[in-house]
Amino acid sequence: MIKILLLALALNTSANTIKDLEKEFLQKGDTLSYYIADENGKVISSNENQNLIPASIFKIFSAYYILDKLGTNFHFSTSISYRGDIENGTLKGDLILNTSGDPYLLTPQIFDLIESVAQEGIKKVDGNLVVVNNFVNIERIGTVGLDDQPYNQSISGFNLNFNRFKSIGRSTQKSIFPKHDGFQTISSQKSLGPGVGFKNQNKNNQDIEKWQYTNTKDYFVEVPIRNSLAFNAYYFKKQLEQRGISTSGIKITNKEQSETKRLNTIKSPSSLDLVKLAMEYSNNLFIETLTLKATNKENLADAAKKMIKDLKIKTKGKIENSSGLTTETRITPKEIVNFIQENANQKFGSHYFINLLSITGHSGSLHRKYLNDDGFEKFRYKTGSIDYVYNICGQSFEKTKRTFCIMINNLQKRKLVDGKNTNRTERLREEAKGWRRAKERFSELLLLQM
């Protein structure tokens, strides 16, 4: 009888504590849904069948699917070759760049490709720089956020430097941008809109990347490229010229080129390494390019739909992409917990899937927040957040292993942020920073109640 009374008191205290946390950290309009299941089948849950916006939690499904379909040792490749004869340093023909969608191609690798041309003795190309796009050509990953958000870039066969350009400068100084024939910037003395530093001016799929901007107080800003295929082709041509190799022009095609001599090939990190990076840094470009390869689809929505169908995941709403950069898709925390429980110990190469997630005390948003002394290195988790959306899902490895998913959305404020850009929505975006901090703290304290 005494044991039963003590248990009842303990459960009641836990319930009261959770209610106290909700009262302290949740606001009007916040929807909380969580599902926590231990290895013995015991479940603690609240509103677990509520479908909410997953944001980057969606990458848990994508990461698993990519490794299941592509394996751990798939590599993208980018190669340089030529067609024709070389006479006294002049190539009587075309220089050919074959692309495949490598999302981790960086300027040092471009220098490697160009150096192989120089070492062949080529100083002038009578023909064109032919860029072969053996992949998709998509303007943006999602429709969420302002136009200049760096995580929402384009995707093509020629992805370079994460498909972002860099702006360096202060409001009192002239800004510095990349300089080549495929890029144009227009300084504006007027505001481009609340919170807007850069506004895209590309129209009718033009080859030249054009952005209007206002001077910013930030010294270093990254802006997404909308036509990565053309922008990066012009960038490559400019780097050739700086190495002393001139070309007649640029030709972009999706047709394979025959009768060529290959000079150099750059391979990306493995699919396993790219997935590790994507999970650690929540990289949308890595996830989307890999899912496109895994599904062999031509657009992000079809690739994501095939992934969801193959994995037999239950979702609500519109499926737009595989990285979670959308407010249209909905899912329940119970569905996520069931997936993690089922696949946590799936082995990919030498790695168990669950260990691809962030670890408390080492990485992710909890790298400096151990929950408590016992929580250090005991949690594997993935977070997903955009303005007024915060989720954390994973497993804890304490005395009893638990799989958890906590989702908090304020759908009313999220809808306002997605609407017309006004001073009000800019204030909401600023307030969202504090909102997220409160939800992070709530989730950490809730995990302690497990």
Side-chain angles (χ1 to χ4, degrees), residues 166-196:
K166 297 175 178 62
S167 163
I168 304 173
R170 291 189 184 276
S171 57
T172 56
Q173 298 174 352
K174 182 179 179 181
S175 295
I176 300 172
F177 300 104
K179 292 181 174 63
H180 56 71
D181 293 338
F183 184 51
Q184 183 179 351
T185 56
I186 306 166
S187 178
S188 175
Q189 300 303 314
K190 297 181 180 180
S191 171
L192 301 178
V196 179

Side-chain angles (χ1 to χ4, degrees), residues 213-230:
Y213 71 98
T214 57
N215 284 333
T216 173
K217 294 180 180 179
D218 295 324
Y219 183 74
F220 185 89
V221 178
E222 290 189 318
V223 182
I225 296 167
R226 290 281 163 251
N227 188 342
S228 56
L229 188 59

Side-chain angles (χ1 to χ4, degrees), residues 27-96:
Q27 301 174 5
K28 181 180 178 181
D30 289 349
T31 299
L32 168 66
S33 178
Y34 61 85
Y35 192 83
I36 302 165
D38 71 19
E39 57 189 342
N40 299 317
K42 180 182 176 181
V43 171
I44 303 172
S45 65
S46 175
N47 205 22
E48 70 272 15
N49 292 316
Q50 176 72 44
N51 284 282
L52 294 174
I53 300 168
S56 283
I57 294 296
F58 214 65
K59 291 181 174 70
I60 292 175
F61 305 129
S62 308
Y64 179 90
Y65 186 79
I66 289 162
L67 295 175
D68 186 54
K69 296 299 181 183
L70 292 180
T72 60
N73 202 35
F74 169 81
H75 297 264
F76 294 90
S77 64
T78 308
S79 66
I80 190 77
S81 58
Y82 70 88
R83 177 175 50 223
D85 298 319
I86 303 171
E87 299 178 6
N88 299 320
T90 299
L91 171 61
K92 304 291 185 177
D94 296 322
L95 194 62
I96 301 164

Side-chain angles (χ1 to χ4, degrees), residues 381-404:
Y381 65 96
K382 179 76 183 78
T383 58
S385 63
I386 50 179
D387 289 348
Y388 298 106
V389 172
Y390 180 77
N391 313 307
I392 181 167
C393 307
Q395 282 190 335
S396 67
F397 291 80
E398 298 168 291
K399 290 181 180 180
T400 301
K401 184 168 69 174
R402 295 176 174 86
T403 308
F404 61 89

Side-chain angles (χ1 to χ4, degrees), residues 53-56 58-59 140-145 149-153 284 288 320-329 385-386:
I53 300 168
S56 283
F58 214 65
K59 291 181 174 70
R140 66 178 68 215
I141 293 172
T143 57
V144 174
Q149 302 304 295
Y151 52 74
N152 194 8
Q153 59 272 75
N284 297 328
E288 298 295 353
E320 292 188 325
N321 53 55
S322 303
S323 57
L325 188 58
T326 175
T327 58
E328 298 295 324
T329 304
S385 63
I386 50 179

Side-chain angles (χ1 to χ4, degrees), residues 341-357:
Q341 281 185 316
E342 183 178 348
N343 298 293
N345 292 325
Q346 176 66 42
K347 201 173 183 182
F348 294 108
S350 301
H351 301 265
Y352 292 96
F353 180 67
I354 192 62
N355 293 327
L356 299 180
L357 277 62

